[in-house]
């Protein structure tokens, strides 16, 4: 029978200090962004979002050697993103299960990176969409007051926080990237110049004295 050894209590207390009021892990340090910026470690984090896993299991799904996987897990642990969840005794040996400190991350307002970090991560995950498969990408520009922008932000946050299927056995993985941002789009002032002609630019009807209006 496998022996389950839970993580030390001190690890949980340290994790709690890194979370915001919604339970998200707050990313701020360059070490964290460097760890997540590597494509292998980014994929590893996405795998560990599904459940805790051993080095052997990670090596199988990522198709890499255990030595390489062990190195990347160590980098994530040193950055405070991955922790040792438990140790199981199996077949006369032991297996260590690693888990994410948090299933969700958020960027600190003083972080050196911004939304572009998440956008680049999404670009790295995107696969070509075969015909008939669900996919939707659109870029729109809205002119909003501050109150309207805050209301839209709240609606988007509510949508993202809704429970979504996370069981890898029930379907294919899809990504959802939601971003509301200030756009670098010049705004034309109102056109208050007199209309030199008709609606289509043609000269207006002739006045009784023969002049165009």
């Amino acid at each position: 029978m496998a022996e389950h050894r839970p993580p030390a209590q001190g690890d949980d207390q340290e994790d709690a200090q890194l979370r915001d009021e919604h339970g998200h892990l707050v990313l701020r340090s360059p070490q964290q962004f460097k760890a997540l910026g590597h494509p292998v470690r980014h994929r590893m984090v996405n795998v560990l979002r599904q459940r805790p896993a051993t080095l052997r299991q990670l090596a199988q799904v990522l198709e890499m050697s255990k030595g390489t996987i062990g190195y990347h897990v160590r980098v994530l642990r040193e950055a405070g993103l991955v922790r040792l969840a438990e140790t199981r005794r199996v077949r006369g040996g032991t297996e260590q299960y690693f888990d994410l400190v948090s299933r969700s991350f958020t960027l600190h307002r003083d972080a050196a990176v911004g939304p572009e970090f998440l956008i680049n991560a999404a670009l790295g995950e995107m696969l070509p969409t075969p015909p008939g498969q669900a996919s939707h990408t659109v870029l729109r520009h809205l002119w909003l007051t501050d109150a309207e922008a805050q209301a839209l932000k709240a609606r988007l946050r509510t949508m993202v926080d809704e429970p979504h299927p996370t069981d890898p056995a029930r379907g294919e993985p899809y990504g959802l990237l939601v971003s509301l941002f200030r756009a670098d789009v010049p705004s034309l002032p109102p056109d208050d110049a007199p209309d030199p002609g008709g609606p289509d630019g043609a000269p207006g009807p002739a006045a009784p004295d023969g002049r165009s209006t």
Side-chain angles (χ1 to χ4, degrees):
M1 179 177 293
E3 175 187 346
H4 297 256
R5 185 186 308 168
Q9 184 176 1
D11 294 341
D12 293 338
Q13 293 175 348
E14 183 179 359
D15 293 346
Q17 297 175 358
L18 303 175
R19 301 172 188 264
D20 65 5
E21 66 274 15
H22 302 289
H24 307 308
L25 180 67
V26 180
L27 302 180
R28 183 177 185 180
S29 72
Q31 185 182 21
Q32 291 174 323
F33 294 115
K34 182 178 180 180
L36 289 173
H38 194 284
V40 171
R41 293 191 287 270
H42 177 78
R43 296 190 71 203
M44 187 178 297
V45 166
N46 286 338
V47 171
L48 289 175
R49 279 199 172 102
Q50 301 169 34
R51 65 168 176 83
T54 66
L55 295 182
R56 175 181 56 82
Q57 292 169 343
L58 291 172
Q60 288 177 344
V61 71
L62 295 174
E63 300 181 338
M64 306 183 75
S65 69
K66 280 185 63 176
T68 300
I69 293 298
Y71 165 75
H72 288 297
V73 167
R74 184 169 69 252
V75 173
L76 291 170
R77 290 187 69 184
E78 292 174 351
L81 303 173
V82 166
R83 63 185 179 89
L84 175 61
E86 60 179 323
T87 300
R88 297 183 184 179
R89 185 174 299 278
V90 292
R91 298 177 185 174
T94 59
E95 280 192 323
Q96 294 179 326
Y97 280 75
F98 297 94
D99 195 9
L100 294 178
V101 170
S102 173
R103 290 291 186 274
S104 55
F105 304 144
T106 187
L107 303 180
H108 193 278
R109 62 179 179 273
D110 297 330
V113 303
E116 71 278 1
F117 182 82
L118 299 178
I119 294 172
N120 289 333
L123 289 174
E125 296 178 9
M126 286 184 180
L127 296 174
T129 304
Q133 190 173 59
S135 179
H136 182 68
T137 303
V138 63
L139 174 63
R140 292 185 59 188
H141 295 112
L142 314 174
W143 272 256
L144 305 172
T145 65
D146 182 67
E148 291 170 336
Q150 293 292 342
L152 179 55
K153 173 186 173 182
R155 287 165 52 196
L156 293 174
R157 178 180 288 276
T158 299
M159 180 193 70
V160 172
D161 289 342
E162 291 177 356
H164 295 284
T166 57
D167 182 4
R170 69 181 306 276
E172 299 294 331
Y174 282 80
L176 177 64
L177 175 66
V178 178
S179 179
L180 176 66
F181 57 92
R182 284 294 305 274
D184 182 15
V185 178
S187 297
L188 278 172
D191 186 5
D192 55 0
D195 187 356
D200 58 357
D209 60 2
R211 293 176 298 171
S212 296
T213 59

